[in-house]
Amino acid sequence: GEDVEQSLFLSVREGDSSVINCTYTDSSSTYLYWYKQEPGAGLQLLTYIFSNMDMKQDQRLTVLLNKKDKHLSLRIADTQTGDSAIYFCAAEAGRAAGNKLTFGGGTRVLVKP
Amino acid sequence: DAGITQSPRHKVTETGTPVTLRCHQTENHRYMYWYRQDPGHGLRLIHYSYGVKDTDKGEVSDGYSVSRSKTEDFLLTLESATSSQTSVYFCAISDSELYAYNEQFFGPGTRLTVL
């Protein structure tokens, strides 16, 4: 089955850019997602990218997809203290597999003032 | 926020007892999912449902069963709770009939402790 890997922790200064990396194994994944989890809450979708795209920009967020290397990254520009959270990468199996998502282990981002 | 509630929000139980967690949605979404979240493992899919009475196993389904008798309710049962099932459980819903991508909306979670 699909395997999704992320680094565990990232520390960044307020105002700097953050880059969170993710690798996945199933080249047939149709969509890839970034979710954010704040303390004590469920996950919320931040952004997603379709597998035939290599970049998507959404305000302060930039997603880069290298399909050849099965590598996904999320860049957060001008990181704020409110960006401190756990970020999950997820890969979608496609409708034939019930649209299931496989999540990475999550990257905890700590933004220091 | 999508209308998803989970009950109970916190539960402490003893090894060997049955436990049922409830997920309730008001969005009329077709798909419902149960995940568990453990440190270092992210979220792992336990079971999911693609319609009333239609369910399937996820990657960590052993020791769990589910039922969906109505669109709005998805129940997760731990038949005989074990300490390894201590975790935070999240319910999620989605409806990919509406969008090409599968945005899942998550409930607030249930923290379960098995002593």
Side-chain angles (χ1 to χ4, degrees):
Chain A
E2 175 84 82
D3 192 23
V4 179
E5 299 284 340
Q6 299 176 238
S7 53
L8 286 179
F9 184 73
L10 176 67
S11 178
V12 62
R13 290 260 175 229
E14 189 175 18
D16 288 349
S17 292
S18 311
V19 179
I20 308 167
N21 294 299
C22 170
T23 58
Y24 60 99
T25 56
D26 188 352
S27 58
S28 66
S29 294
T30 52
Y31 284 91
L32 297 127
Y33 302 83
W34 285 102
Y35 280 81
K36 177 183 180 183
Q37 184 182 33
E38 298 189 358
L43 280 67
Q44 284 192 304
L45 181 66
L46 269 183
T47 187
Y48 66 93
I49 188 166
F50 186 51
S51 57
N52 70 351
M53 298 170 65
D54 51 22
M55 188 181 89
K56 180 180 180 183
Q57 191 146 4
D58 185 359
Q59 299 182 332
R60 292 191 297 123
L61 305 178
T62 303
V63 179
L64 295 178
L65 175 61
N66 181 328
K67 199 172 178 183
K68 173 177 167 290
D69 293 338
K70 302 189 194 69
H71 182 267
L72 184 72
S73 67
L74 175 69
R75 178 177 179 269
I76 305 173
D78 187 25
T79 311
Q80 304 298 306
T81 54
D83 295 324
S84 290
I86 303 176
Y87 292 80
F88 291 93
C89 166
E92 180 176 335
R95 289 183 188 230
N99 296 307
K100 291 185 290 186
L101 299 185
T102 300
F103 287 86
T107 300
R108 185 178 295 274
V109 174
L110 177 64
V111 182
K112 297 181 178 178
Chain B
D1 287 346
I4 313 169
T5 55
Q6 293 184 231
S7 59
R9 294 292 316 278
H10 301 270
K11 186 168 181 68
V12 180
T13 191
E14 294 189 348
T15 298
T17 59
V19 176
T20 295
L21 307 183
R22 180 180 182 238
C23 177
H24 179 78
Q25 61 146 328
T26 57
E27 305 296 320
N28 201 36
H29 280 7
R30 178 183 172 191
Y31 291 87
M32 298 185 76
Y33 310 84
W34 276 108
Y35 294 92
R36 59 178 290 174
Q37 183 177 20
D38 304 289
H41 290 280
L43 271 75
R44 291 180 291 174
L45 182 65
I46 305 171
H47 283 280
Y48 69 101
S49 170
Y50 47 95
V52 173
K53 292 189 172 28
D54 292 324
T55 65
D56 205 350
K57 295 179 180 179
E59 65 175 299
V60 290
S61 60
D62 286 349
Y64 301 95
S65 61
V66 289
S67 66
R68 191 170 178 198
S69 59
K70 298 185 287 186
T71 299
E72 55 267 35
D73 289 325
F74 193 32
L75 304 180
L76 176 70
T77 297
L78 288 66
E79 292 132 14
S80 176
T82 67
S83 58
S84 64
Q85 293 175 311
T86 291
S87 188
V88 180
Y89 291 85
F90 286 99
C91 174
I93 65 174
S94 71
D95 197 335
S96 56
E97 305 299 325
L98 297 176
Y99 307 106
Y101 63 97
N102 180 21
E103 178 175 4
Q104 293 189 10
F105 300 91
F106 284 78
T110 294
R111 184 173 294 275
L112 176 68
T113 302
V114 183
L115 301 176

